[in-house]
Amino acid sequence: MALIVQKYGGTSVGDAERIKAVADRIIARIKGGDRLVVVVSAMGQTTDELIALAAEMTDEPEAREMDLLLSTGEIVTSTLLAMALKHSGQPALALSGAQAGIGTDQVYGRARILKLDPARVVRELDAGAVVIVAGFQGLTEEMEIATLGRGGSDTTAVALAVSLKAERCEIYTDVDGVYTADPRICPEASKLSEIGYEEMLELSTWGARVMHNRAIELAAVYGVPVYVSSSFNDEPGTLIHGGVAMEKANKVMGIAHDEDVARITVRGVPDRPGIAAHIFEPLGEGGISVDTIVQNASVERLTDLTFTVSRSQLDEAMAIIKPIGEEIKAGEVMADTHLAKVSLVGAGMTSGPGYAGRMFRTLFEAKINIELITTSEIRITCLIDEKDVPAAVKALHRAFELADAA
Ligand code: ADP
Ligand code: ASP
Ligand code: MG
């Protein structure tokens, strides 16, 4: 009898019929002999709708109330699913994140799981129930409810799989696996039967929202296999694990894109030691994550500093950076939000030459301007105009011959 943690995303539990269909899938699985803990997301677009409702009340909702509000979305799904299961004769129990023993820090809106006490979950499992846990939330030491960030139910599921020593974590969503690019904008994308943690982490960090990147980080640290598949059919999905054959890993694996990009440029920054720390430390202290930083060569001891943040953090970042700009007597501080990132990911890119050149040539031939370039060992990212994203992804997919990659 294997212990499995499953997670069903928003579309998979989008309405009453879908929740009943998920209940049927769970029952079939239990009949097959497995024991299940099931993590659920909020129904359909509920989280977006709750955010929109809050915006009707105030421009600046308090983070505490915002998280308490958003946590209700997954609680609704968990209770309805437990009811559907019990109605069909399957013992089940719904738990909020707090009741399931998930402890987080108090960084509202992007809390991290600090500890997980699975005692209650284990007790209920031992009593024969399917335990349904509301995703995306936990309890802080101050007894406040905090949420894990958009897409965070994946992380709840992997954290539970780690703490329960489950055989694997299964993520059920509206696509039947991880593809070589987002199949919604690149119809030629092909499904990967497997992918290593490292490459999946890079893809999800750089925009492939099929998995929450923190879920992959956790899975990699503890070696939990994660299986991504559809809740709408029984097509084979993608296994994310640590044992991917070296040769297979040795090539371009996929393309990620991310439209959640805002660029900030500080012009005329005095070129002297300590200035970068002076600018970036306050951003870090303010909880702003900065991912791409470029400093131009200095002309007459003045440089331009450019970096990117997520669009949702742009206002906060500008509020921190503008006074610093004045203090260090820099020139203007400018922001723009029409950009997006396109990234090529593959473990083989360090060993094989020519990937960067081929990527830039492909974008050039598609008449797409590159605004900024960053790389890691296994990734090359170009910042481009967001309107060019579909064309860029398709052109790169073709140039790197990913249509028959799987
Ligand atoms: P859920 O609500 O189930 O968590 P998400 O919307 O978070 O689902 O993630 C699934 C979506 O991720 C897909 O509908 C797809 O458009 C998108 N996606 C982006 N990149 C990829 C990729 N490489 N492979 C598969 N899906 C991807
Ligand atoms: N409901 C949350 C969101 O929409 C968390 C999740 O679905 O994973 O982001
Ligand atoms: Mg998701």
mmCIF file of all heavy atoms in Angstrom, residues 174-197:
data_model
loop_
_atom_site.group_PDB
_atom_site.id
_atom_site.type_symbol
_atom_site.label_atom_id
_atom_site.label_comp_id
_atom_site.label_asym_id
_atom_site.label_seq_id
_atom_site.Cartn_x
_atom_site.Cartn_y
_atom_site.Cartn_z
ATOM 1 N N ASP A 174 -4.283 20.981 -15.800
ATOM 2 C CA ASP A 174 -5.073 21.013 -17.026
ATOM 3 C C ASP A 174 -4.240 20.713 -18.272
ATOM 4 O O ASP A 174 -4.720 20.847 -19.387
ATOM 5 C CB ASP A 174 -5.811 22.363 -17.159
ATOM 6 C CG ASP A 174 -4.871 23.545 -17.074
ATOM 7 O OD1 ASP A 174 -3.630 23.344 -17.071
ATOM 8 O OD2 ASP A 174 -5.361 24.684 -16.999
ATOM 9 N N VAL A 175 -2.976 20.349 -18.090
ATOM 10 C CA VAL A 175 -2.167 19.823 -19.204
ATOM 11 C C VAL A 175 -1.663 18.447 -18.766
ATOM 12 O O VAL A 175 -1.544 18.195 -17.569
ATOM 13 C CB VAL A 175 -0.925 20.694 -19.548
ATOM 14 C CG1 VAL A 175 -1.252 21.796 -20.495
ATOM 15 C CG2 VAL A 175 -0.269 21.230 -18.289
ATOM 16 N N ASP A 176 -1.344 17.585 -19.727
ATOM 17 C CA ASP A 176 -1.029 16.218 -19.311
ATOM 18 C C ASP A 176 0.463 15.995 -19.110
ATOM 19 O O ASP A 176 0.966 14.888 -19.289
ATOM 20 C CB ASP A 176 -1.637 15.195 -20.287
ATOM 21 C CG ASP A 176 -1.174 15.419 -21.716
ATOM 22 O OD1 ASP A 176 -0.305 16.281 -21.916
ATOM 23 O OD2 ASP A 176 -1.675 14.743 -22.622
ATOM 24 N N GLY A 177 1.174 17.052 -18.706
ATOM 25 C CA GLY A 177 2.586 16.881 -18.393
ATOM 26 C C GLY A 177 3.364 18.163 -18.622
ATOM 27 O O GLY A 177 2.782 19.216 -18.916
ATOM 28 N N VAL A 178 4.672 18.042 -18.482
ATOM 29 C CA VAL A 178 5.555 19.173 -18.742
ATOM 30 C C VAL A 178 5.964 19.105 -20.208
ATOM 31 O O VAL A 178 6.436 18.064 -20.677
ATOM 32 C CB VAL A 178 6.810 19.115 -17.842
ATOM 33 C CG1 VAL A 178 7.747 20.267 -18.170
ATOM 34 C CG2 VAL A 178 6.413 19.119 -16.368
ATOM 35 N N TYR A 179 5.756 20.184 -20.923
ATOM 36 C CA TYR A 179 6.063 20.239 -22.348
ATOM 37 C C TYR A 179 7.359 21.016 -22.598
ATOM 38 O O TYR A 179 7.854 21.727 -21.717
ATOM 39 C CB TYR A 179 4.896 20.888 -23.101
ATOM 40 C CG TYR A 179 3.757 19.930 -23.380
ATOM 41 C CD1 TYR A 179 2.954 19.443 -22.345
ATOM 42 C CD2 TYR A 179 3.487 19.487 -24.678
ATOM 43 C CE1 TYR A 179 1.921 18.556 -22.596
ATOM 44 C CE2 TYR A 179 2.451 18.603 -24.936
ATOM 45 C CZ TYR A 179 1.672 18.141 -23.895
ATOM 46 O OH TYR A 179 0.652 17.258 -24.148
ATOM 47 N N THR A 180 7.853 20.912 -23.818
ATOM 48 C CA THR A 180 9.086 21.611 -24.177
ATOM 49 C C THR A 180 8.891 23.127 -24.222
ATOM 50 O O THR A 180 9.864 23.881 -24.262
ATOM 51 C CB THR A 180 9.599 21.125 -25.541
ATOM 52 O OG1 THR A 180 8.471 21.119 -26.449
ATOM 53 C CG2 THR A 180 10.164 19.721 -25.450
ATOM 54 N N ALA A 181 7.630 23.579 -24.241
ATOM 55 C CA ALA A 181 7.296 25.005 -24.122
ATOM 56 C C ALA A 181 5.830 25.034 -23.712
ATOM 57 O O ALA A 181 5.155 23.994 -23.759
ATOM 58 C CB ALA A 181 7.493 25.732 -25.454
ATOM 59 N N ASP A 182 5.337 26.205 -23.309
ATOM 60 C CA ASP A 182 3.926 26.286 -22.913
ATOM 61 C C ASP A 182 3.052 25.921 -24.115
ATOM 62 O O ASP A 182 3.040 26.634 -25.119
ATOM 63 C CB ASP A 182 3.618 27.714 -22.437
ATOM 64 C CG ASP A 182 2.201 27.829 -21.881
ATOM 65 O OD1 ASP A 182 1.373 26.938 -22.145
ATOM 66 O OD2 ASP A 182 1.933 28.823 -21.194
ATOM 67 N N PRO A 183 2.319 24.795 -24.045
ATOM 68 C CA PRO A 183 1.545 24.363 -25.222
ATOM 69 C C PRO A 183 0.467 25.376 -25.619
ATOM 70 O O PRO A 183 -0.011 25.346 -26.748
ATOM 71 C CB PRO A 183 0.916 23.036 -24.779
ATOM 72 C CG PRO A 183 1.101 22.949 -23.307
ATOM 73 C CD PRO A 183 2.213 23.862 -22.918
ATOM 74 N N ARG A 184 0.140 26.296 -24.713
ATOM 75 C CA ARG A 184 -0.874 27.297 -25.072
ATOM 76 C C ARG A 184 -0.362 28.312 -26.086
ATOM 77 O O ARG A 184 -1.133 28.879 -26.842
ATOM 78 C CB ARG A 184 -1.359 28.047 -23.835
ATOM 79 C CG ARG A 184 -2.333 27.218 -23.058
ATOM 80 C CD ARG A 184 -2.961 27.922 -21.884
ATOM 81 N NE ARG A 184 -3.226 26.932 -20.867
ATOM 82 C CZ ARG A 184 -4.164 25.987 -20.953
ATOM 83 N NH1 ARG A 184 -4.959 25.952 -21.987
ATOM 84 N NH2 ARG A 184 -4.304 25.096 -20.007
ATOM 85 N N ILE A 185 0.946 28.570 -26.067
ATOM 86 C CA ILE A 185 1.437 29.510 -27.084
ATOM 87 C C ILE A 185 2.298 28.820 -28.135
ATOM 88 O O ILE A 185 2.668 29.424 -29.128
ATOM 89 C CB ILE A 185 2.191 30.720 -26.475
ATOM 90 C CG1 ILE A 185 3.467 30.294 -25.777
ATOM 91 C CG2 ILE A 185 1.311 31.525 -25.552
ATOM 92 C CD1 ILE A 185 4.381 31.486 -25.581
ATOM 93 N N CYS A 186 2.618 27.559 -27.911
ATOM 94 C CA CYS A 186 3.458 26.846 -28.876
ATOM 95 C C CYS A 186 2.841 25.471 -29.135
ATOM 96 O O CYS A 186 3.166 24.482 -28.469
ATOM 97 C CB CYS A 186 4.875 26.719 -28.309
ATOM 98 S SG CYS A 186 6.035 25.955 -29.438
ATOM 99 N N PRO A 187 1.918 25.413 -30.103
ATOM 100 C CA PRO A 187 1.188 24.156 -30.336
ATOM 101 C C PRO A 187 2.097 22.991 -30.729
ATOM 102 O O PRO A 187 1.724 21.841 -30.534
ATOM 103 C CB PRO A 187 0.241 24.498 -31.496
ATOM 104 C CG PRO A 187 0.210 25.983 -31.570
ATOM 105 C CD PRO A 187 1.485 26.499 -30.984
ATOM 106 N N GLU A 188 3.299 23.285 -31.250
ATOM 107 C CA GLU A 188 4.206 22.178 -31.624
ATOM 108 C C GLU A 188 4.924 21.583 -30.418
ATOM 109 O O GLU A 188 5.674 20.616 -30.565
ATOM 110 C CB GLU A 188 5.293 22.656 -32.605
ATOM 111 C CG GLU A 188 4.826 23.370 -33.843
ATOM 112 C CD GLU A 188 4.876 24.878 -33.655
ATOM 113 O OE1 GLU A 188 5.953 25.473 -33.777
ATOM 114 O OE2 GLU A 188 3.812 25.469 -33.359
ATOM 115 N N ALA A 189 4.742 22.160 -29.252
ATOM 116 C CA ALA A 189 5.478 21.687 -28.069
ATOM 117 C C ALA A 189 5.226 20.207 -27.851
ATOM 118 O O ALA A 189 4.137 19.703 -28.112
ATOM 119 C CB ALA A 189 5.046 22.474 -26.841
ATOM 120 N N SER A 190 6.267 19.504 -27.377
ATOM 121 C CA SER A 190 6.080 18.064 -27.156
ATOM 122 C C SER A 190 6.221 17.742 -25.670
ATOM 123 O O SER A 190 6.930 18.420 -24.932
ATOM 124 C CB SER A 190 7.068 17.255 -27.998
ATOM 125 O OG SER A 190 8.383 17.618 -27.668
ATOM 126 N N LYS A 191 5.538 16.690 -25.261
ATOM 127 C CA LYS A 191 5.516 16.324 -23.842
ATOM 128 C C LYS A 191 6.784 15.565 -23.488
ATOM 129 O O LYS A 191 7.215 14.682 -24.228
ATOM 130 C CB LYS A 191 4.279 15.463 -23.583
ATOM 131 C CG LYS A 191 4.072 15.161 -22.119
ATOM 132 C CD LYS A 191 2.704 14.572 -21.837
ATOM 133 C CE LYS A 191 2.435 13.312 -22.612
ATOM 134 N NZ LYS A 191 1.058 12.837 -22.450
ATOM 135 N N LEU A 192 7.369 15.921 -22.349
ATOM 136 C CA LEU A 192 8.567 15.224 -21.885
ATOM 137 C C LEU A 192 8.131 14.059 -21.004
ATOM 138 O O LEU A 192 7.285 14.241 -20.125
ATOM 139 C CB LEU A 192 9.436 16.188 -21.066
ATOM 140 C CG LEU A 192 9.950 17.411 -21.839
ATOM 141 C CD1 LEU A 192 10.438 18.498 -20.879
ATOM 142 C CD2 LEU A 192 11.068 17.000 -22.784
ATOM 143 N N SER A 193 8.688 12.876 -21.225
ATOM 144 C CA SER A 193 8.301 11.762 -20.355
ATOM 145 C C SER A 193 8.998 11.887 -19.007
ATOM 146 O O SER A 193 8.484 11.460 -17.984
ATOM 147 C CB SER A 193 8.614 10.425 -21.012
ATOM 148 O OG SER A 193 9.980 10.393 -21.349
ATOM 149 N N GLU A 194 10.177 12.519 -18.992
ATOM 150 C CA GLU A 194 10.869 12.760 -17.723
ATOM 151 C C GLU A 194 11.753 13.992 -17.846
ATOM 152 O O GLU A 194 12.123 14.407 -18.944
ATOM 153 C CB GLU A 194 11.725 11.545 -17.330
ATOM 154 C CG GLU A 194 12.778 11.208 -18.366
ATOM 155 C CD GLU A 194 13.751 10.121 -17.914
ATOM 156 O OE1 GLU A 194 13.660 9.662 -16.760
ATOM 157 O OE2 GLU A 194 14.615 9.768 -18.720
ATOM 158 N N ILE A 195 12.074 14.572 -16.699
ATOM 159 C CA ILE A 195 12.980 15.720 -16.664
ATOM 160 C C ILE A 195 13.631 15.745 -15.288
ATOM 161 O O ILE A 195 13.007 15.341 -14.293
ATOM 162 C CB ILE A 195 12.224 17.043 -16.994
ATOM 163 C CG1 ILE A 195 13.174 18.248 -16.972
ATOM 164 C CG2 ILE A 195 11.044 17.287 -16.063
ATOM 165 C CD1 ILE A 195 12.549 19.545 -17.527
ATOM 166 N N GLY A 196 14.898 16.181 -15.235
ATOM 167 C CA GLY A 196 15.614 16.246 -13.959
ATOM 168 C C GLY A 196 15.167 17.459 -13.142
ATOM 169 O O GLY A 196 14.616 18.423 -13.668
ATOM 170 N N TYR A 197 15.435 17.393 -11.842
ATOM 171 C CA TYR A 197 15.050 18.506 -10.950
ATOM 172 C C TYR A 197 15.659 19.826 -11.400
ATOM 173 O O TYR A 197 15.012 20.866 -11.385
ATOM 174 C CB TYR A 197 15.538 18.238 -9.525
ATOM 175 C CG TYR A 197 14.858 17.094 -8.817
ATOM 176 C CD1 TYR A 197 15.601 16.040 -8.305
ATOM 177 C CD2 TYR A 197 13.479 17.088 -8.621
ATOM 178 C CE1 TYR A 197 14.992 14.989 -7.626
ATOM 179 C CE2 TYR A 197 12.858 16.046 -7.938
ATOM 180 C CZ TYR A 197 13.615 14.996 -7.445
ATOM 181 O OH TYR A 197 13.017 13.974 -6.779
#
